[in-house]
Amino acid sequence: MRSLTGPVADRTASSGRGNSSCAGACDGDGRRADERGLSALAMTENTFRPVAAALRPYLIVNPRSGGGKASRFRIAEKARELGAQVLLLDPSQPQDLATIARRAVDDGADLLGVAAGDGTQALVAGVAAKCGLPFVVIPAGTRNHFAMDLGLDREDPSAALEALTDGVELCVDLGFAGERVFVNNVSFGAYAALVQDPAYRDDKIGTTARILPEFLARHKGPELVGTRRAAHCGRA
């Protein structure tokens, strides 16, 4: 996946593209036929390259992510000032972000970005990667593990907006857990169940104390079934 950052490597964003661009809408779930069945695309490069500014950037903002970090740093307002079209998510109305991102590509977006946590980043990054577009990471989540790996400023997520107008790019790995894209890590078992519990965000210790005993006693919890297959990698 191609990573796009601002002029200083530790200040801004991230992006993605696959082996070829999509013409118009991406087919089906956006994955090209040559990628189906791949567990990962190994395309890491360590050299930053200058890129031209996007003409029609599209940014998705989750106002609740990270305890309201996007709102505190005025991410949506600043992005609009830089010429981006911004979709401000309504937490009370869940939406299919992959479909929204593909529709934005259909409408002419030449860059996709997300101001939210790693899970939301992954959903849109997958579309950007398959459609050959740069993807900008705005670290507006709680942990922002992906942004940390990219060297972004997690204390000031608005700094990542520099990539909209003055950026450089870097290729990073894009992974799949089954059909689901992940940009940094994937979890299963007790931890995955904990972070998906609605109460975990505001009461981590209490939620852990409530859920973990059941896992340790093996009374309930998800089961993992593994299969082995040959690995194959492609390069962007």
Side-chain angles (χ1 to χ4, degrees):
M1 188 172 74
R2 197 180 71 196
S3 175
L4 181 66
T5 80
V8 179
D10 63 354
R11 288 297 303 277
T12 36
S14 170
S15 76
R17 74 173 176 185
N19 295 337
S20 62
S21 300
C22 295
C26 299
D27 293 334
D29 62 358
R31 301 180 66 185
R32 299 187 311 278
D34 63 330
E35 289 177 346
R36 295 184 182 279
L38 300 188
S39 58
L41 302 179
M43 53 182 92
T44 299
E45 295 181 1
N46 295 319
T47 303
F48 287 92
R49 298 183 298 271
V51 292
L55 299 177
R56 299 189 63 181
Y58 187 91
L59 183 66
I60 296 173
V61 177
N62 184 347
R64 288 191 59 188
S65 185
K69 190 178 294 184
S71 298
R72 291 197 303 275
F73 284 89
R74 301 180 60 249
I75 298 298
E77 294 89 338
K78 292 178 180 179
R80 291 189 179 105
E81 291 171 1
L82 292 172
Q85 182 179 349
V86 177
L87 172 65
L88 195 63
L89 297 178
D90 182 352
S92 66
Q93 298 180 355
Q95 301 180 65
D96 184 337
L97 297 186
T99 297
I100 289 173
R102 286 193 291 268
R103 188 177 300 128
V105 176
D106 288 347
D107 292 339
D110 60 353
L111 178 148
L112 297 176
V114 172
D118 289 332
T120 307
Q121 300 282 356
L123 291 171
V124 181
V127 176
K130 306 314 171 291
C131 293
L133 297 183
F135 174 63
V136 174
V137 173
I138 311 296
T142 301
R143 301 298 182 191
N144 303 297
H145 293 294
F146 187 37
M148 179 176 63
D149 283 352
L150 293 172
L152 309 187
D153 186 350
R154 296 185 296 164
E155 299 302 317
D156 181 10
S158 65
L161 293 171
E162 293 178 22
L164 296 177
T165 57
D166 186 12
V168 293
E169 71 176 22
L170 177 73
C171 287
V172 298
D173 294 331
L174 179 69
F176 295 91
E179 295 296 312
R180 183 161 184 164
V181 177
F182 64 93
V183 292
N184 173 268
N185 62 78
V186 61
S187 302
F188 61 89
Y191 179 71
L194 283 173
V195 297
Q196 291 184 70
D197 192 291
Y200 181 76
R201 183 185 299 273
D202 298 321
D203 184 15
K204 293 180 175 57
I205 295 177
T207 306
T208 301
R210 172 171 53 85
I211 292 179
L212 196 56
E214 291 292 339
F215 280 92
L216 296 178
R218 298 185 178 181
H219 292 160
K220 66 178 183 180
E223 295 182 355
L224 175 67
V225 177
T227 59
R228 184 178 182 181
R229 63 184 178 185
H232 175 72
C233 296
R235 179 179 173 80

